[in-house]
């Protein structure tokens, strides 16, 4: 019998590409679907440089029901699907809500429909700690109430979790939703990493682009939060730790270990770092002085959030291993590798 085949949607993206590498290194055959709306085709070669294997790739939009149906019909021997493909910029989602609902929600519906019709039973879904809003208690557990969404992006994650809940009840499909906290860093080879198009929205790419000289100054959004140093606190987690959790989730499904039709796990380290902590870690590991200024809060930002990781640690059997210094060093090495390529 050959290797088990896993479909990774969004497999050329940031978290997707790292997960493809981990899957291949665990002996899985990987097929990628990506429309390349926020990634490039070169990622495939870079994955192959790390693992020695070029993943099978098809470029199309999962919001296209006919293409998705046709693909799953041709690949009904898939053992499981990891569904990353989605838009993820909070600010953009406020300007183009329908774009987000169509892409993020329609794609999931098309995939589930295709799974149902072709007897594919295992799905891992990319969710987000954004579903918790500002939690009432920290660290936040998976049982915490879902708060009204602050953006269409966050709303699509909530809607998708609901779609999974009812679809897995009605049909023989198992799903695991992984709620990511703040994934950062890059592969230690610096061959794959985050490739933000245009001005980055997220903190870490903005830090590394500022240090490399591509941006003049980082704006720190608010230092008047009720936190130890006044800047907002998040649970940053190394992207390779996140990728490894997907392999564990796939194995849980393939080994028939799921206890519920839909299982939900937090993917975080359980440690909260402020924006200033992240800047300080960056300066320490890079030896660079970062140019930054304090500006008003960014609308829609929560004050602080970090994960209770016990359920993921004990039930899923996965634990984040890398600390913030390792995350910042990996992100910095990736930025330097990108800069070297541009010259
Ligand atoms: N920040 C700055 N300056 C910047 C960018 C960010 O100070 O230039 C601050 C933010 O205000 C926040 C922290 O750095 O306090 C982290 O911001 P990010 O944009 O990196 O991450 P968020 O926590 O806002 O967003 C992330 C994901 C979203 C997800 C959200 C909540 O990017 O997809 O978590 O789950 F919705």
């Amino acid at each position: 019998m050959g290797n088990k085949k896993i479909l990774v949607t969004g497999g050329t993206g940031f978290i997707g590409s790292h997960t493809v590498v981990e899957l291949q290194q665990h002996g899985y055959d990987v097929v990628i679907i990506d429309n390349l709306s926020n990634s490039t085709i070169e990622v495939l070669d870079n994955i192959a440089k790390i693992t020695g294997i070029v993943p099978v790739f098809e470029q199309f939009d999962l919001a296209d029901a006919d293409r998705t149906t046709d693909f799953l019909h041709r690949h009904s021997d898939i053992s499981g699907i990891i569904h990353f493909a989605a838009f993820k910029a909070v600010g953009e989602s406020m300007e183009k809500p329908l774009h987000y609902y169509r892409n993020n929600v329609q794609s999931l519906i098309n995939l589930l429909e295709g799974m149902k019709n072709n007897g594919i039973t295992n799905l891992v879904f990319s969710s987000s700690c954004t579903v918790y809003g500002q939690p009432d208690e920290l660290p936040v557990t998976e049982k915490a109430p879902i708060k009204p969404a602050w953006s269409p992006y966050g709303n699509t994650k909530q809607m998708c979790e609901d779609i999974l809940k009812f679809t897995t009840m009605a049909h023989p499909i198992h799903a695991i939703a992984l709620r990511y906290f703040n994934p950062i860093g890059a592969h230690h080879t610096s061959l794959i990493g985050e490739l933000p198009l245009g001005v980055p929205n997220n903190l870490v790419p903005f830090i590394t682009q500022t240090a490399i000289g591509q941006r003049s100054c980082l704006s720190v959004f608010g230092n008047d939060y009720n936190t130890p140093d006044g800047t907002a606190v998040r649970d940053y987690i190394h992207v390779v730790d996140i990728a490894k959790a997907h392999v564990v989730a796939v194995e849980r499904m393939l080994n028939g270990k799921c206890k519920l039709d839909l299982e939900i796990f937090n993917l975080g380290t359980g440690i909260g770092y402020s924006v200033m902590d992240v800047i300080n870690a960056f300066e320490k590991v890079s030896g660079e002085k970062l140019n930054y200024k304090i500006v008003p809060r960014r609308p829609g930002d929560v004050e602080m959030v970090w994960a209770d990781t016990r359920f993921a640690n004990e039930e899923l059997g996965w634990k984040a291993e890398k600390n913030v210094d390792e995350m910042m060093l990996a992100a910095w090495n990736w930025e330097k590798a990108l800069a070297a390529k541009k010259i």
Side-chain angles (χ1 to χ4, degrees), residues 125-304:
F125 176 71
S126 299
S127 191
S128 166
C129 70
T130 195
V131 299
Y132 299 123
Q134 177 61 65
D136 301 324
E137 284 171 37
L138 289 169
V140 63
T141 74
E142 290 83 351
K143 291 196 165 63
I146 301 301
K147 294 283 178 72
W150 291 13
S151 71
Y153 161 75
N155 195 202
T156 65
K157 293 296 173 191
Q158 299 178 343
M159 290 169 73
C160 286
E161 285 196 3
D162 285 343
I163 290 169
L164 288 174
K165 182 170 89 182
F166 291 112
T167 306
T168 56
M169 254 186 226
H171 301 292
I173 293 176
H174 281 291
I176 296 181
L178 300 175
R179 291 180 178 158
Y180 313 150
F181 282 67
N182 285 57
I184 61 168
H187 199 261
H188 69 89
T189 57
S190 297
L191 285 163
I192 52 173
E194 196 169 2
L195 270 177
L197 295 179
V199 182
N201 296 302
N202 296 113
L203 177 64
V204 173
F206 209 109
I207 288 178
T208 55
Q209 288 194 6
T210 304
I212 208 94
Q214 209 174 324
R215 315 263 156 223
S216 60
C217 184
L218 169 76
S219 295
V220 174
F221 297 135
N223 67 349
D224 56 353
Y225 286 105
N226 186 20
T227 61
D229 65 21
T231 63
V233 171
R234 297 287 182 276
D235 185 338
Y236 297 91
I237 172 164
H238 199 297
V239 64
V240 172
D241 279 330
I242 294 255
K244 287 180 174 164
H246 290 77
V247 178
V248 175
V250 162
E251 285 176 350
R252 180 179 178 86
M253 294 184 135
L254 299 186
N255 295 331
K257 296 227 180 92
C258 294
K259 294 186 180 153
L260 297 169
D261 296 329
L262 169 63
E263 294 184 312
I264 296 177
F265 296 100
N266 283 342
L267 296 188
T269 65
I271 305 170
Y273 287 101
S274 72
V275 176
M276 284 315 301
D277 290 334
V278 174
I279 293 173
N280 292 336
F282 173 77
E283 290 188 334
K284 185 176 87 182
V285 300
S286 68
E288 301 284 324
K289 198 89 201 96
L290 190 75
N291 192 22
Y292 69 88
K293 62 173 189 277
I294 309 291
V295 303
R297 295 180 182 193
R298 181 170 68 179
D301 274 348
V302 301
E303 184 164 78
M304 47 185 172

Side-chain angles (χ1 to χ4, degrees), residues 6-34 43-48 50-57 82 84 187 192 239-240 242-244 246-247:
I6 304 294
L7 166 62
V8 180
T9 77
T12 53
F14 176 42
I15 308 176
S17 57
H18 290 80
T19 301
V20 170
V21 166
E22 293 298 319
L23 285 167
Q24 290 181 329
Q25 290 177 336
H26 281 80
Y28 291 96
D29 284 342
V30 178
V31 185
I32 295 176
I33 298 173
D34 204 302
V43 172
L44 295 178
D45 292 335
N46 292 330
I47 289 172
I50 299 172
T51 63
I53 309 160
V54 187
V56 176
F57 174 75
I82 306 181
F84 291 105
H187 199 261
I192 52 173
V239 64
V240 172
I242 294 255
K244 287 180 174 164
H246 290 77
V247 178

Side-chain angles (χ1 to χ4, degrees), residues 86-104:
F87 294 151
K88 60 170 186 178
V90 177
E92 184 188 54
S93 80
M94 301 294 285
E95 286 153 30
K96 299 181 186 171
L98 297 176
H99 201 55
Y100 271 67
Y101 287 113
R102 188 181 306 110
N103 190 56
N104 293 6

